[in-house]
Amino acid sequence: MAKSIKEIAQELNVSKSTVSLVINHKAEQARISKELEKRVLDYVKKVGYKPNSLAKSLATGRSNTIGLIVENIGDSFFGPFALYVEELLRKKDYHVLYSSTLGDPQNAQDIIDFMLEKKVEGILLAPTVDLEEHQRKILEHKVPLVVFDRNSPEVATHYVHIDNGDSSLKACSHLKSIGCENFGLVTIDSDQPQMLARKNAYLQFCKETGMQARILHLPYHSLRQKGMTTLRNWVSKNTELDGLYFTTNYLCILGLKSLRTEEGKIFDFPLFSFDDHELFDILNPKISCIRQPLEPLAKTCVKVLLKEIDRGISIPREYVISTDLIKR
Amino acid sequence: MAKSIKEIAQELNVSKSTVSLVINHKAEQARISKELEKRVLDYVKKVGYKPNSLAKSLATGRSNTIGLIVENIGDSFFGPFALYVEELLRKKDYHVLYSSTLGDPQNAQDIIDFMLEKKVEGILLAPTVDLEEHQRKILEHKVPLVVFDRNSPEVATHYVHIDNGDSSLKACSHLKSIGCENFGLVTIDSDQPQMLARKNAYLQFCKETGMQARILHLPYHSLRQKGMTTLRNWVSKNTELDGLYFTTNYLCILGLKSLRTEEGKIFDFPLFSFDDHELFDILNPKISCIRQPLEPLAKTCVKVLLKEIDRGISIPREYVISTDLIKR
DNA sequence: TATCTTTACTAATACGTTTTAGTAGAAATA
DNA sequence: TATTTCTACTAAAACGTATTAGTAAAGATA
């Protein structure tokens, strides 16, 4: 059904080269006559020719595809982020091959291999832990790489991120300013760098203000099963708590679900979330948060990656996006 | 950096064919000696050979990729759905090329063309309106197509969906059963089939029970700007309303945001949403809903598509997934 | 008229793989 | 010893495109 250049050439009694040149708007530079050009163009249109982009990519070395590797395309951070990325790249005629690692390094490795085989022109990666070697592999293959959200300090790559430490301090100050004198931190037990940075800022805040640090590490790999009860127990044991700071929105949601009482009221001290959520502004109590501005984040990632693709790989840099403190 | 079969062959002083056959585990059937096989295998491993999958696909006609076209990868229905799809396909060694149409037929067409050019082996599509012609094109290209969530009745394709009419009746009955005698329906003005089906069931319910139909059509293309005030005005005009049935969760969220009062309390009659949301169970008032079971939906889609790919295109069928009524 | 330019193309090669038909040499058969 | 059969490979074509060097014919120049 789908005709190839070869067939079209035969049917028009011209050479493949002619057809290819015309199709790629190189008729003039190749001195193809206007008449022939038109004849080819008309015929191509008539039969509805669509190039085989595999063959094209093989010949040109360009796939017009970039890879986007996130933790979970279904969550409220990466999903909308991916949409921005796609929209921005669509304008530049690029398409996105995405994949979710679910935090599993093995998945991540498979995905990276697959993308390299597919000859993506660049990769946008939110790394899981233990991915240093694979990041190196990407760079060895001369494929431009931009890392965002988290990174592995051991491999030098372009890195787009928010200032987790600063933002976390802002969060702490906010809680203090609204009267919390003994708020605790709820985070996960996996050592993702961005989580560590948020926690460390909390510890620093404690040191500076003399507040006692109270930290709960929930099990990343069995949140669903154990998270709720662990959190509930911890809160009821620590009666002096007067506020909770969750290092990410899914933890905050877990908090909301596990700590509410029968009557629907949740409890009587403020909650704070790192990362916003579309319903945080209508919950009771309202949830203040640090908001990662998705659009600037996506824009920067895409801009940096496209530049690498266009001009060749350059010395790694960091790009810091500032966050917003949303008081509610 | 990345070696090709050709180079490997030269370096080993054997033919390309030999290398290719060994790599593809056809050494035995091609009577390659064990020794040579091992020599090749060892070398291939040593240099870290990765096939160029573009060339491979060009030669074999298989891309091991399927296309997933949704409305918005960032929303709480398609995002998690996409994750299920990816997980299921990963097990079968397929990868996903996804794209969001944002409800724009032009985007959808571009995406479909791109995917056909990329030689995806099958397409999973949640159609926007006006896509009949392109669905035909996909089928003309002999690319297996499975449509889900919505469909265009004019083109016969495999179609995986929930029973919108039945589910909508369940919703209406539920509202009545909890005492709503005059509940209204809030939907959008675009004529997506699934939305029409939900509305028609409501109308049928009205006819059968003698309830007066009160329907608000919000503008699909300017929801953000006009939705909130339109809804608010409508509700305050229709004072006899004692319940609201939203035909999708994003409308319900819009309802929650626009109808709540300063004190945080939302209002005093029940809300019902078609489609669940991760926070509906902790809101006040609690939101009952029809839940589309994402996993069975995704499983069926993937199963049907893979079957089409394996055994060739078959006569279109419908697959109906039953929904759950979640009372809260 | 012999040479140089220009015009309007095309032939050939390359991209990296798969696959089938073919082949040289050794071993078996008659 | 001449023929057949195996063994262990390889040559060549194919997938569909892009690109560059080349060429025949016509026109311009001296």
Side-chain angles (χ1 to χ4, degrees):
Chain A
M1 192 76 251
K3 301 226 177 194
S4 68
I5 282 191
K6 188 177 164 186
E7 292 169 291
I8 290 181
Q10 279 167 354
E11 286 158 25
L12 285 175
N13 272 315
V14 297
S15 75
K16 291 193 295 172
S17 327
T18 304
V19 178
S20 174
L21 289 166
V22 169
I23 287 172
N24 290 295
H25 309 105
K26 293 184 179 165
E28 185 153 13
Q29 104 183 34
R31 303 171 185 284
I32 310 279
S33 65
K34 288 287 169 204
E35 302 90 75
L36 215 196
E37 182 180 11
K38 184 163 185 320
R39 200 154 67 89
V40 172
L41 245 24
D42 287 351
Y43 193 73
V44 157
K45 190 163 200 176
K46 181 180 152 207
V47 301
Y49 168 76
K50 290 283 169 204
N52 178 325
S53 84
L54 296 174
K56 202 165 183 165
S57 297
L58 187 58
T60 59
R62 309 206 51 188
S63 64
N64 264 48
T65 305
I66 74 110
L68 171 61
I69 306 176
V70 299
E71 183 174 8
N72 177 349
I73 192 68
D75 86 11
S76 60
F77 174 68
F78 289 116
F81 176 84
L83 183 63
Y84 278 120
V85 169
E86 187 188 350
E87 284 302 291
L88 291 167
L89 285 171
R90 198 202 299 288
K91 287 181 199 147
K92 306 285 184 180
D93 238 18
Y94 275 92
H95 284 251
V96 180
L97 189 61
Y98 91 96
S99 242
S100 303
T101 63
L102 296 179
D104 177 351
Q106 187 56 52
N107 277 346
Q109 294 178 18
D110 292 347
I111 292 167
I112 290 173
D113 280 348
F114 178 80
M115 289 188 172
L116 290 178
E117 287 173 22
K118 281 279 175 193
K119 302 294 167 190
V120 295
E121 293 183 32
I123 291 182
L124 219 47
L125 168 72
T128 59
V129 289
D130 296 331
L131 235 53
E132 292 76 14
E133 196 192 327
H134 278 76
Q135 289 180 231
R136 282 201 199 91
K137 181 158 65 177
I138 295 174
L139 293 172
E140 274 170 19
H141 280 250
K142 305 281 180 225
V143 173
L145 170 66
V146 172
V147 156
F148 69 101
D149 193 42
R150 317 108 189 251
N151 88 333
S152 332
E154 292 106 69
V155 190
T157 55
H158 287 276
Y159 176 34
V160 178
H161 64 114
I162 56 165
D163 189 322
N164 284 288
D166 250 31
S167 306
S168 190
L169 281 178
K170 272 197 283 186
C172 294
S173 302
H174 170 72
L175 278 164
K176 181 168 177 116
S177 77
I178 59 169
C180 297
E181 303 283 345
N182 271 302
F183 62 91
L185 180 97
V186 179
T187 185
I188 49 171
D189 61 1
S190 115
D191 44 350
Q192 298 175 6
Q194 83 281 24
M195 296 299 178
L196 289 180
R198 294 169 197 177
K199 182 172 74 177
N200 288 336
Y202 169 80
L203 288 169
Q204 184 192 333
F205 178 86
C206 289
K207 193 173 267 175
E208 285 170 5
T209 62
M211 186 174 85
Q212 195 197 323
R214 296 165 215 276
I215 300 183
L216 173 64
H217 294 90
L218 290 172
Y220 180 63
H221 291 291
S222 50
L223 256 191
R224 278 277 156 80
Q225 306 87 289
K226 300 186 189 158
M228 307 249 298
T229 50
T230 309
L231 177 59
R232 203 152 33 211
N233 291 339
W234 185 72
V235 170
S236 47
K237 240 176 262 164
N238 290 268
T239 48
E240 66 290 358
L241 281 172
D242 62 359
L244 281 181
Y245 167 21
F246 296 90
T247 58
T248 177
N249 58 3
Y250 62 78
L251 291 177
C252 186
I253 289 170
L254 185 132
L256 287 164
K257 296 201 178 188
S258 50
L259 298 175
R260 74 203 162 93
T261 62
E262 270 312 303
E263 311 89 65
K265 189 160 180 348
I266 299 192
F267 39 72
D268 42 7
F269 51 68
L271 298 186
F272 190 95
S273 167
F274 206 110
D275 280 355
D276 201 359
H277 184 280
E278 63 173 341
L279 290 187
F280 279 175
D281 59 336
I282 57 170
L283 284 169
N284 188 5
K286 288 183 184 148
I287 314 285
S288 295
C289 66
I290 290 289
R291 180 188 287 162
Q292 303 203 39
L294 282 178
E295 199 172 355
L297 207 59
K299 266 192 178 150
T300 306
C301 286
V302 167
K303 203 178 68 186
V304 174
L305 188 61
L306 288 180
K307 196 172 141 198
E308 290 291 295
I309 293 175
D310 270 13
R311 314 211 188 142
I313 296 178
S314 64
I315 9 173
R317 260 196 61 191
E318 279 194 36
Y319 302 81
V320 180
I321 310 292
S322 59
T323 58
D324 303 315
L325 171 67
I326 310 288
K327 301 179 189 176
R328 294 198 173 107
Chain B
M1 193 76 251
K3 301 227 180 195
S4 68
I5 283 191
K6 189 177 163 188
E7 292 169 292
I8 291 181
Q10 279 168 355
E11 287 158 22
L12 284 175
N13 271 316
V14 298
S15 75
K16 292 192 297 172
S17 328
T18 305
V19 178
S20 174
L21 288 166
V22 169
I23 288 172
N24 291 296
H25 310 106
K26 292 183 179 163
E28 185 151 13
Q29 105 184 33
R31 306 170 183 286
I32 310 279
S33 65
K34 287 286 170 206
E35 304 90 74
L36 182 55
E37 182 181 10
K38 183 162 185 319
R39 201 153 66 89
V40 172
L41 245 25
D42 288 351
Y43 194 72
V44 156
K45 190 164 199 174
K46 182 181 152 208
V47 301
Y49 168 75
K50 290 283 167 203
N52 177 326
S53 85
L54 297 175
K56 200 166 183 165
S57 296
L58 187 58
T60 58
R62 307 206 52 190
S63 64
N64 262 52
T65 304
I66 75 110
L68 171 61
I69 306 177
V70 299
E71 183 175 7
N72 178 347
I73 193 68
D75 86 12
S76 61
F77 174 70
F78 289 117
F81 176 84
L83 183 64
Y84 278 121
V85 169
E86 187 188 349
E87 284 304 289
L88 291 166
L89 285 172
R90 197 203 299 289
K91 286 180 199 148
K92 305 286 183 180
D93 237 17
Y94 276 94
H95 283 251
V96 180
L97 190 60
Y98 92 96
S99 242
S100 304
T101 64
L102 296 179
D104 177 350
Q106 186 57 51
N107 277 347
Q109 294 179 17
D110 292 347
I111 292 166
I112 290 174
D113 281 347
F114 177 79
M115 289 188 171
L116 291 178
E117 287 173 21
K118 281 279 175 192
K119 302 292 166 192
V120 295
E121 293 183 33
I123 291 182
L124 219 47
L125 169 72
T128 59
V129 288
D130 295 332
L131 235 53
E132 291 77 13
E133 196 192 327
H134 277 77
Q135 287 180 235
R136 282 202 198 90
K137 181 157 68 177
I138 295 175
L139 294 171
E140 276 171 18
H141 280 250
K142 306 279 181 226
V143 173
L145 170 67
V146 172
V147 156
F148 70 100
D149 193 41
R150 318 107 190 251
N151 88 333
S152 332
E154 292 106 70
V155 190
T157 55
H158 287 277
Y159 177 34
V160 179
H161 62 114
I162 57 164
D163 190 323
N164 283 289
D166 250 32
S167 305
S168 190
L169 281 178
K170 271 197 282 186
C172 293
S173 303
H174 170 72
L175 277 163
K176 182 171 176 115
S177 77
I178 59 170
C180 297
E181 302 285 344
N182 271 302
F183 62 91
L185 179 98
V186 179
T187 185
I188 48 171
D189 60 1
S190 113
D191 43 348
Q192 297 175 7
Q194 83 281 22
M195 295 300 177
L196 289 180
R198 293 169 197 177
K199 182 172 73 177
N200 288 335
Y202 169 80
L203 287 170
Q204 185 191 335
F205 178 86
C206 287
K207 193 175 266 174
E208 284 171 7
T209 62
M211 185 172 87
Q212 195 198 323
R214 295 166 217 276
I215 301 183
L216 173 64
H217 294 90
L218 290 173
Y220 180 62
H221 290 291
S222 50
L223 256 192
R224 277 279 155 80
Q225 305 89 290
K226 300 186 188 158
M228 306 250 299
T229 50
T230 309
L231 177 58
R232 203 150 33 209
N233 291 338
W234 186 71
V235 170
S236 45
K237 239 176 262 165
N238 290 268
T239 47
E240 68 289 357
L241 281 172
D242 63 357
L244 281 180
Y245 167 21
F246 295 89
T247 57
T248 178
N249 58 3
Y250 60 78
L251 291 177
C252 185
I253 289 171
L254 185 132
L256 287 164
K257 296 203 176 187
S258 51
L259 299 174
R260 74 202 164 94
T261 62
E262 271 311 302
E263 309 87 67
K265 189 159 179 355
I266 299 194
F267 39 72
D268 41 9
F269 51 69
L271 298 187
F272 190 94
S273 166
F274 204 110
D275 279 355
D276 201 359
H277 184 279
E278 65 173 339
L279 289 188
F280 279 174
D281 59 336
I282 57 169
L283 283 169
N284 187 8
K286 288 184 185 149
I287 314 284
S288 295
C289 66
I290 291 289
R291 180 189 287 162
Q292 302 202 40
L294 282 178
E295 197 172 356
L297 207 58
K299 264 190 179 149
T300 306
C301 285
V302 167
K303 204 178 68 188
V304 174
L305 189 61
L306 288 179
K307 197 172 141 198
E308 290 291 293
I309 293 174
D310 270 12
R311 313 210 189 142
I313 296 178
S314 65
I315 10 174
R317 258 196 62 191
E318 279 193 37
Y319 302 81
V320 181
I321 309 293
S322 58
T323 59
D324 303 316
L325 172 66
I326 309 291
K327 302 179 188 175
R328 293 198 175 107

